[in-house]
Amino acid sequence: PPRFRNVSELIRKVLPKETFNLLREIGKIADREGVNAYIVGGFVRDLIIGRENFDIDIVVEGDATEFAKVVGRELGAKVHTFSRFKTATLVFKDGTRIDMASARTEVYKFPGALPEVDIAPLKKDLFRRDFTINTLSVKINYSDFGKLIDFFGGLKDIKDKKIRVLHSLSFVEDPTRILRALRFSVRYRFELGKHTEKLLKMAVEKKLFKTVEGQRIYHELKQILLEDNPLRVFLRLEKYRLIEELFPGLRWNREKKDTFERVRKLIIWHRINFPERKTDYHLVYLGALFFKEPLERVKSYLSSLSFPEKEGKKLLKFLDEIYGTYRALKSSNLPSEVYKTLRGREEEFLLLLAALFPDVEEKVVNFMRDWRFVEPLVSGKDIKELGLKPGPAFKEILNRIKYEIIDGRVSREDREEQYSRLKEMVVGKVSPSN
Ligand code: CTP
């Protein structure tokens, strides 16, 4: 029998006040509309585990699209509905997003089919999910707000730190869950349940990945690479002989593991120092994974995993150019030469470069931290005042000043010093007739 406990105060504690109030309001509307509404999945799991998560998924016993429209109207949110799946996304004025889905029952299976009333639609919906830890839900109807519902022992498994499937066919029905199991086990430091591990191994042996759309595997791979420590997940992939399944022929050796470790450290550094730069960190790991692999092989991975076109192109370009860039850096003695080699390069490329080649890491990091931000305090206006006609020489002169600042030959803060250096350069260019 399901066990109940109230987690309303816990939710109040973890959510911004506005979001919490929103849920209360949605609960009121649910009462009035005569539907049951529940928060489900990852949010509830992370609420209990104590990990931050603001992705709220609501399941409605009833028509979620209709319900979402009412909520949107009353609480002033934009509603995007996807009628084919009976789901909706609400976007509130402050940017908060809430997803709603209809509890999936078999009611719509064929015309005239009788609704199955023996099992609560919510329970049936949850039974289709991957692991017990993802089957917890919290009722939000006003009268029952915060009631935690645990049909499948998710609470106990969280307490025991176990990843468990709900039934023996789980991995067969959806082999991407194999990757999810390993990802969650690393993220939460949970073990696989004994039976679950056996099922996972059997699924691997049956080579079930062959039957999955590449795009779905790509999605899970990306999720893994966006975790805090992808190397740990990869070590489990290795343990269950999944690297070979995902990337036939790939070399997964000490060198690559070390690079993964270095990528991780650089990403942590980057996140702290450049939080505003939107960076596809998973691309850095993919570059590290595919470095030194034959080009044709990389291309076959990209196509079998249906990499998004743009991403695949970017990755191939990185792999094509990175060694040349490394050579150029290695023979650069002046910071300005490093600057010229690296300016305009993508964040992901720079991180990959630093991770793959420790002997130029310092140069790359200095460029990223400092040199790329150097701007002279003198400008085209100064050059004009010195009597030179505007033209391509302007840019060239200002660049030369910039290089001298980067190399420490001209002060970065002293405008006077920069100005006299500028004067020297301009005088050489100004013709007597000017
Ligand atoms: N789910 C599933 N099988 C999958 C993918 C997802 O059963 N192959 C279910 C899970 O139960 C999960 C829900 O769908 O709770 C939503 O999945 P997802 O969007 O991946 O969210 P989270 O579980 O919250 O994962 P994460 O914390 O990584 O976002």
Side-chain angles (χ1 to χ4, degrees), residues 3-5 7 44 48 136-138 146-150 155:
R3 297 177 38 190
F4 304 121
R5 184 172 97 174
V7 290
V44 188
I48 305 295
L136 294 170
S137 65
V138 174
K147 181 164 134 179
L148 182 73
I149 304 170
D150 177 13
L155 269 183

Side-chain angles (χ1 to χ4, degrees), residues 100-306:
M100 289 192 182
S102 312
R104 299 186 191 185
T105 62
E106 308 304 315
V107 177
Y108 307 102
K109 217 170 180 183
F110 57 92
L114 287 174
E116 298 180 37
V117 289
D118 49 339
I119 303 174
L122 173 72
K123 182 168 181 182
K124 210 160 174 177
D125 183 290
L126 295 172
F127 185 64
R128 305 159 68 112
R129 295 181 182 238
D130 48 6
F131 310 116
T132 57
I133 60 169
N134 288 335
T135 61
L136 294 170
S137 65
V138 174
K139 195 164 179 188
I140 60 168
N141 287 65
Y142 204 78
S143 42
D144 271 339
F145 189 89
K147 181 164 134 179
L148 182 73
I149 304 170
D150 177 13
F151 289 117
F152 305 107
L155 269 183
K156 179 171 188 303
D157 287 340
I158 287 176
K159 209 176 94 221
D160 297 347
K161 296 180 173 287
K162 293 282 190 221
I163 308 284
R164 290 205 167 94
V165 290
L166 280 83
H167 56 81
S168 303
L169 289 177
S170 193
F171 291 125
V172 178
E173 282 172 3
D174 182 355
T176 66
R177 289 174 174 170
I178 296 169
L179 302 180
R180 293 173 62 83
L182 301 180
R183 175 162 67 89
F184 288 133
S185 81
V186 167
R187 182 198 285 176
Y188 299 114
R189 300 181 178 251
F190 284 14
E191 301 278 329
L192 302 181
K194 213 168 157 195
H195 182 57
T196 297
E197 185 182 33
K198 212 160 87 193
L199 295 169
L200 185 146
K201 283 180 174 161
M202 279 163 56
V204 174
E205 250 159 56
K206 285 192 192 140
K207 310 229 174 270
L208 290 177
F209 276 127
K210 300 258 181 293
T211 68
V212 183
E213 278 174 272
Q215 206 183 320
R216 297 195 60 224
I217 301 180
Y218 165 81
H219 175 77
E220 281 307 327
L221 175 67
K222 181 171 170 181
Q223 297 305 308
I224 289 172
L225 297 177
L226 292 175
E227 288 288 326
D228 168 58
N229 198 335
L231 173 59
R232 287 226 178 92
V233 184
F234 266 68
L235 293 176
R236 289 192 198 192
L237 293 175
E238 179 182 7
K239 171 176 170 186
Y240 295 106
R241 307 196 184 290
L242 281 160
I243 306 256
E244 176 63 22
E245 278 320 304
L246 296 170
F247 306 107
L250 182 99
R251 278 171 305 176
W252 174 245
N253 48 23
R254 188 68 257 166
E255 193 182 337
K256 285 212 175 133
K257 294 172 197 174
D258 289 344
T259 312
F260 262 49
E261 197 49 58
R262 295 173 50 79
V263 169
R264 176 165 181 269
K265 289 189 176 133
L266 282 157
I267 289 175
I268 291 172
W269 168 79
H270 190 269
R271 260 191 223 289
I272 293 170
N273 288 284
F274 307 101
E276 75 292 348
R277 281 184 193 241
K278 98 171 208 7
T279 309
D280 288 325
Y281 292 120
H282 68 287
L283 278 187
V284 187
Y285 281 112
L286 287 168
L289 196 62
F290 295 154
F291 181 62
K292 283 189 185 169
E293 297 293 333
L295 187 66
E296 285 317 305
R297 193 177 285 163
V298 175
K299 283 184 178 163
S300 84
Y301 300 149
L302 298 184
S303 97
S304 72
L305 296 183
S306 315

Side-chain angles (χ1 to χ4, degrees), residues 377 410-419:
L377 299 171
V410 174
S411 157
R412 189 168 180 170
E413 295 88 28
D414 189 343
R415 198 188 119 82
E416 287 310 306
E417 194 184 326
Q418 288 181 22
Y419 188 77

Side-chain angles (χ1 to χ4, degrees), residues 372-391:
R372 63 173 161 178
F373 300 115
V374 167
E375 287 301 338
L377 299 171
V378 289
S379 69
K381 197 160 151 262
D382 296 299
I383 306 179
K384 216 161 126 188
E385 279 167 17
L386 286 166
L388 197 67
K389 286 219 181 85

